[in-house]
Amino acid sequence: ETGVTQSPTHLIKTRGQQVTLRCSSQSGHNTVSWYQQALGQGPQFIFQYYREEENGRGNFPPRFSGLQFPNYSSELNVNALELDDSALYLCASSFPGVEQFFGPGTRLTVL
Amino acid sequence: AQTVTQSQPEMSVQEAETVTLSCTYDTSESNYYLFWYKQPPSRQMILVIRQEAYKQQNATENRFSVNFQKAAKSFSLKISDSQLGDTAMYFCAFTQPGAGSYQLTFGKGTKLSVIP
């Protein structure tokens, strides 16, 4: 059984640029959630996708957007990057259900 | 809005000893779930243990157990026979059914160091 994978592992962008992060869900899972974890903080919920539809959103501006594909993999897009967007971005998949399984994260640095 | 509070930013424990991490939460709902996640330096969030609010019995997973006090809204994690591999950030998390979305609300975490 393949776990949740994310790419890239880390990347560096400059303020104002756009970035796309990718997530492959665990085999058999059709729900993907994205979280932002700032340094020294707990993860914060960005949004969730279920069967290619957004199924819940946290307190993040519209420049954070996402997609889910028919194979249930997902993308997180962030436009007009700001310095405060520097964080670890975590993807989690589920069946759906209560238990979420996390990937290793993408470390984004905005300069 | 639900909140999760972890009042211990850092803790340390001697190898083979027992340590308890604290967590309190706030919700007006009666149906919810609580979790403890472990995040080692490798960054991957790993589920340690989960507790359903409707269950009175405290959850146990090998060396890990919880003390769930629903009325007090308290959910502590006890690690017995601590091992060096237990060194990590530990996050308490909360979720509840809501329009099919089980979004997790996390605390700020407790950094646990196991000392040889």
Side-chain angles (χ1 to χ4, degrees), chain A residues 30-111:
Chain A
N30 57 14
T31 301
V32 172
S33 303
W34 286 92
Y35 294 83
Q36 180 196 64
Q37 186 179 14
L39 195 62
Q41 302 293 317
Q44 284 195 294
F45 176 74
I46 303 175
F47 44 56
Q48 182 180 91
Y49 279 84
Y50 170 62
R51 292 187 174 180
E52 303 179 56
E53 298 281 335
E54 188 178 287
N55 183 39
R57 188 178 182 95
N59 189 26
F60 280 81
R63 58 190 187 84
F64 286 78
S65 63
L67 281 174
Q68 187 179 31
F69 300 98
N71 66 354
Y72 304 128
S73 65
S74 176
E75 286 183 355
L76 164 64
N77 299 291
V78 187
N79 293 321
L81 283 166
E82 301 177 0
L83 297 180
D84 285 349
D85 295 334
S86 294
L88 179 67
Y89 288 84
L90 297 168
C91 167
S93 74
S94 55
F95 180 61
V98 174
E99 200 159 316
Q100 297 185 24
F101 296 83
F102 285 82
T106 294
R107 170 75 66 191
L108 172 65
T109 301
V110 182
L111 301 176

Side-chain angles (χ1 to χ4, degrees), chain B residues 94-106:
Chain B
F94 169 101
T95 192
Q96 65 183 56
S101 167
Y102 286 98
Q103 64 185 69
L104 290 164
T105 299
F106 287 86

Side-chain angles (χ1 to χ4, degrees), chain B residues 31-81:
Chain B
N31 181 26
Y32 54 87
Y33 302 82
L34 295 161
F35 306 86
W36 280 97
Y37 279 90
K38 169 185 177 181
Q39 188 178 42
S42 66
R43 308 181 322 199
Q44 185 134 15
M45 199 75 77
I46 302 164
L47 178 64
V48 174
I49 198 166
R50 92 184 218 184
Q51 175 78 46
E52 291 84 347
Y54 63 84
K55 290 187 178 179
Q56 291 188 334
Q57 187 172 6
N58 289 326
T60 299
E61 287 287 343
N62 301 313
R63 299 183 294 108
F64 300 88
S65 62
V66 299
N67 183 6
F68 174 47
Q69 301 290 327
K70 191 172 183 178
K73 296 180 182 175
S74 170
F75 182 61
S76 61
L77 174 70
K78 185 171 83 171
I79 305 174
S80 304
D81 185 25

